[in-house]
Amino acid sequence: MFCPNCGKADQEENTYCRQCGKFLPDFNNLKKREITPEEHLKANAVLSLMTAIVSLMLAILLYYFFLGKDDTPIIIYLTAGFLIAMCAWQVQTFWRTLLLKKQIAKPNQREENKPQELKSVLTNDLLNEADFTDNVPASVAEYTTKNLKEKVGRSSQSE
């Protein structure tokens, strides 16, 4: 499949383009509407925020009605604590979802700053002619040991 935005070949459906970052839905299966990852993130953020608010409100209500009463079972306090922990978890999930949405939005921002058309230029038009006036000769010792035929033994100096 080709990306409809930039034209990059060999793309897979229901993924992002490897060149421009645009989401590529499956155009052959347009009967049912595919939900993009951005829409999934938006729904996840809304549900996380709603869950955090509801669990915090329930914990506050439990503490308001039962805190300080002598006949309150311990399970009420445990439930309120669990609801506060759920609220904290959902708040961090909401925060991470917002960070992920920002990260996914970056390729679309880069797309706006990208030049619309790149000109095809031959490499030899861009490079200068080779200058051999400052050519440094090879080292004097380079490639000189390949002609040695006999091995020189080392003598030990321990007398």
Side-chain angles (χ1 to χ4, degrees):
M1 145 175 221
F2 290 91
C3 175
N5 188 38
C6 68
K8 175 82 172 157
D10 298 328
Q11 302 287 336
E12 295 180 19
E13 294 87 8
N14 291 328
T15 59
Y16 289 95
C17 176
R18 292 184 295 255
Q19 184 167 342
C20 69
K22 186 91 171 165
F23 182 72
L24 305 170
D26 187 4
F27 293 112
N28 297 328
N29 198 4
L30 290 179
K31 294 177 186 171
K32 66 176 187 172
R33 184 178 169 273
E34 293 289 329
I35 299 174
T36 63
E38 289 86 0
E39 292 172 331
H40 279 290
L41 288 175
K42 184 178 180 181
N44 191 21
V46 169
L47 290 175
S48 294
L49 190 60
M50 285 176 43
T51 306
I53 291 170
V54 168
S55 61
L56 184 63
M57 287 176 54
L58 286 174
I60 290 171
L61 286 174
L62 281 175
Y63 280 127
Y64 179 75
F65 286 116
F66 294 106
L67 186 64
K69 295 193 178 182
D70 294 334
D71 59 343
T72 304
I74 191 73
I75 192 75
I76 298 295
Y77 296 117
L78 290 175
T79 304
F82 178 70
L83 287 169
I84 290 173
M86 267 180 43
C87 176
W89 180 265
Q90 292 300 329
V91 165
Q92 70 89 20
T93 302
F94 175 75
W95 179 253
R96 289 177 188 261
T97 302
L98 290 180
L99 292 176
L100 189 58
K101 280 176 68 173
K102 285 181 186 176
Q103 192 174 12
I104 287 178
K106 285 182 184 177
N108 295 337
Q109 292 171 356
R110 280 189 231 130
E111 177 181 315
E112 294 170 359
N113 298 335
K114 191 168 55 171
Q116 294 297 327
E117 187 177 324
L118 297 175
K119 295 179 182 178
S120 169
V121 181
L122 295 174
T123 306
N124 59 0
D125 293 340
L126 297 174
L127 298 175
N128 297 330
E129 286 292 321
D131 183 19
F132 295 109
T133 57
D134 295 333
N135 191 10
V136 178
S139 171
V140 175
E142 194 169 335
Y143 303 116
T144 56
T145 59
K146 68 180 179 182
N147 295 328
L148 294 176
K149 301 236 190 256
E150 59 186 64
K151 291 186 178 181
V152 178
R154 295 186 181 199
S155 62
S156 62
Q157 296 182 4
S158 59
E159 291 181 12

